[in-house]
Amino acid sequence: MKRKLALLLALVLLLSVFTVACGKEEPAKGGDKEKVEEGPGEDVSDEDIDDEQYVTLTITEPQAIDPSKSSDIYSADILNEITEGLVRLEVGEDGGDVIAPAGAEDWDVSDDGLVWTFHLRDYEWEDGEPVTAHDFEYGMKRTINPETASVYAFLLYPIKNAEACNSGEKDLDELGVKAIDDKTLEITLEGPCAYFDKLLAFKTMYPQRKDLVEQWGDKVGSEAEYTISCGPFKLTEWTHKSELVLEKNENYWDADTVKLEKITYKVIEDPSTAYNMLSNGQIDICGVSKPEWLEKFKQRDDLVYVSEYQPSVAYQFFNQDVKLFSNANVRKAFILAIDREELLDVLYYGIGEPAYGWIPPVMKVGDKTYRDVVDEPLKKLKEENPDPKELLIKGLEELGMDPDPSKITVTMLQSGTDAESRRFAEYYQQAYETVLGINVEAEYMDWPVFLDRVQSANYELAGMGWNGDYDDPMTFMDMWITGSGMSDIQWSNKEYDELIKKAQTSLDDEERLECFKRAEEILLYEDGCISPIIYRKSSRFQYDYVKNIMRPLCASGIEFKYAYIQGRNK
């Protein structure tokens, strides 16, 4: 999503507290009672905290707890708590992200920036086996192996021969990842990469156990018993569609720092159920969007309200293998049929910002905030095309189809089967039908099924969200290059691919910014490939006894390593 995001479902993200982290904590107007602690904070003694150290919060059912295969942010949330990679993303004193040593005590970078040598600390998996450089080498090779079919393999393409190995053109032994010995890992890059350090904390760089992956086969990450931890917590229970339980990993190298004994993630689809559970103390942290509940919770002295910008966009997208959506004017008509300002108020209760671009406002290139210097392409498209229906008819004629929109029926995939999912789907149905004069049928399904349908291109129109995986616009742009594995829209553009390749290898911030600007124009204004809807902003409440949680900009979910409970029953 961040992170694939990592991938996100726009609707359920309103409920989830893991909808993203973005920059500093920023309390919203009228609701801020205190700022939530960020970063490791001051040491606190066991005598000063509650005897019972546990926290309960909400989550959406994860796809699979597998660093190589999972693509949703909910899986990433769990992986982040149970795995210690080379580094961890933390929040620094200035509120910005800090890359902190974790599994690697330190590392060296060659003068040309191409060879990274990591020196691992002594630490163990939960079963007592040592974590070695070979585990990191195996993990990255498993992700790149074309037989794994990892949709996130492309994130490792800055590594030497990664793309060729992933396509099968070269043997995995030629991948630029090598365990020099048990404690030394060497990574060689294909070329210069301005953002490689920001990739280090992502799950595709995690260590993996070859013996267990081979023993478990397709069961890896499917149940708690088929996961293994080397991080602050371990997954001990997973009751599907009900809850996941994490307990403190006593074998963690920094276990003395970890105060929480237990984290329970409740899978709750209905927002009202979650709000009631927050109200009566059954859960400690919850994303809240409905105005009546926002106002109710803001009146309580024991709840802290936190609203924060996120590197995240909710969007609709089109399968271009479907004849109707193979035409750019048809796609642009669908893009312009949505009144983003109205949708923000109706569906998101005003929490967020209308999106007329793909890269959200918080992302930076060098010291420049991207959206401060690059106009949103869809604003120009909207000004030039005041009547989306005219664009649709033009597109139908170009396709040789009947130009009567009333004879068009489109099926829209909707993840979730609950009332909120239907509220979202019905809004889009009405908007498309009213503005374009077409017919829209909604097909409802659970999130894992939805992901499978989208990733197999078995859909016409769908909507979800994208969360930045690391702090660079590249995390929003390289997913659309030909063969990335994350692009589910069946689109390819040679100029776009060349621009992204250039931005990947350039160390010149101005050159990279110009590449992103032109690529975004192709993606949205010229080809109309996707329809960004909302730049997302979270809105959550947590009890004031939950202390020292941390939310780095592009990390998955909340960081609980330093969290503790103080005064739950005061």
Side-chain angles (χ1 to χ4, degrees), residues 308-365:
E308 54 197 358
Y309 286 101
Q310 304 176 333
S312 179
V313 185
Y315 67 108
Q316 295 261 297
F317 51 101
F318 322 104
N319 182 356
Q320 296 190 29
D321 274 353
V322 174
K323 182 177 180 180
L324 179 66
F325 291 118
S326 66
N327 182 276
N329 283 320
V330 170
R331 300 192 296 270
K332 292 175 185 177
F334 275 75
I335 290 172
L336 298 177
I338 300 301
D339 183 334
R340 287 160 173 76
E341 284 74 14
E342 179 190 81
L343 182 146
L344 175 64
D345 288 337
V346 174
L347 295 184
Y348 290 82
Y349 308 110
I351 301 170
E353 183 179 331
Y356 289 90
W358 176 237
I359 298 175
V362 295
M363 306 305 291
K364 289 186 175 182
V365 178

Side-chain angles (χ1 to χ4, degrees), residues 1 53 75 141 179 190 209 226-227 320 368 390 479:
M1 129 153 126
Q53 290 294 308
S75 304
K141 286 186 173 178
E190 187 78 47
R209 284 278 292 275
Y226 300 123
T227 65
Q320 296 190 29
K368 292 183 179 178
E390 283 187 7
M479 62 187 288

Side-chain angles (χ1 to χ4, degrees), residues 501-519:
K501 290 287 185 184
K502 188 174 183 179
Q504 285 175 329
T505 56
S506 174
L507 300 179
D508 184 322
D509 290 337
E510 288 300 322
E511 184 177 59
R512 298 185 78 232
L513 191 146
E514 288 302 315
C515 287
F516 291 137
K517 177 182 178 181
R518 173 61 186 145

Side-chain angles (χ1 to χ4, degrees), residues 68 83-87 102-104 118-121 123 125 130-143 156 159 175 177-179 181-187 200-210 230:
S68 290
T83 315
E84 189 80 327
L86 295 168
V87 304
F118 298 89
H119 308 285
L120 305 189
R121 68 174 70 252
Y123 73 119
W125 296 93
V131 179
T132 71
H134 301 282
D135 296 330
F136 284 94
E137 179 182 340
Y138 172 72
M140 283 180 254
K141 286 186 173 178
R142 178 174 178 249
T143 300
L156 297 178
I159 297 175
L175 183 67
V177 180
K178 183 179 181 181
D181 54 42
D182 283 352
K183 295 299 177 186
T184 309
L185 178 73
E186 182 181 274
I187 299 178
L200 296 175
F202 196 63
K203 60 185 178 183
T204 50
M205 307 287 282
Y206 284 169
Q208 297 187 45
R209 284 278 292 275
K210 182 181 179 183
C230 61

Side-chain angles (χ1 to χ4, degrees), residues 94-274:
D94 63 352
D97 283 5
V98 173
I99 299 172
E105 287 185 309
D106 54 54
W107 53 91
D108 308 310
V109 183
S110 62
D111 291 341
D112 60 6
L114 298 183
V115 181
W116 294 59
T117 305
F118 298 89
H119 308 285
L120 305 189
R121 68 174 70 252
D122 291 329
Y123 73 119
E124 299 176 346
W125 296 93
E126 65 175 279
D127 63 358
E129 290 295 316
V131 179
T132 71
H134 301 282
D135 296 330
F136 284 94
E137 179 182 340
Y138 172 72
M140 283 180 254
K141 286 186 173 178
R142 178 174 178 249
T143 300
I144 284 295
N145 189 336
E147 294 181 1
T148 304
S150 170
V151 296
Y152 259 126
F154 75 99
L155 270 187
L156 297 178
Y157 283 3
I159 297 175
K160 185 177 181 180
N161 294 330
E163 187 170 5
C165 293
N166 188 231
S167 66
E169 295 175 11
K170 290 191 175 182
D171 190 88
L172 283 175
D173 289 339
E174 298 182 73
L175 183 67
V177 180
K178 183 179 181 181
I180 303 300
D181 54 42
D182 283 352
K183 295 299 177 186
T184 309
L185 178 73
E186 182 181 274
I187 299 178
T188 303
L189 304 188
E190 187 78 47
C193 180
Y195 57 95
F196 184 70
D197 59 333
K198 298 174 182 177
L199 295 176
L200 296 175
F202 196 63
K203 60 185 178 183
T204 50
M205 307 287 282
Y206 284 169
Q208 297 187 45
R209 284 278 292 275
K210 182 181 179 183
D211 58 332
L212 296 180
V213 170
E214 291 179 348
Q215 177 184 334
W216 293 338
D218 292 339
K219 295 178 181 177
V220 172
S222 63
E223 306 285 349
E225 64 185 290
Y226 300 123
T227 65
I228 188 165
S229 165
C230 61
F233 301 93
K234 55 186 179 182
L235 179 60
T236 56
E237 297 178 36
W238 184 359
T239 304
H240 290 278
K241 297 187 177 181
S242 178
E243 67 177 25
L244 298 92
V245 178
L246 271 58
E247 297 180 6
K248 181 177 177 179
N249 177 14
E250 298 295 346
N251 273 353
Y252 180 52
W253 70 270
D254 198 18
D256 289 345
T257 299
V258 181
K259 305 299 182 186
L260 287 180
E261 295 291 340
K262 183 177 180 180
I263 307 170
T264 302
Y265 297 85
K266 295 286 187 182
V267 179
I268 304 172
E269 291 189 353
D270 177 43
S272 294
T273 300

Side-chain angles (χ1 to χ4, degrees), residues 271-284:
S272 294
T273 300
Y275 301 159
N276 278 307
M277 292 177 70
L278 177 68
S279 182
N280 61 30
Q282 289 180 277
I283 57 178
D284 304 305

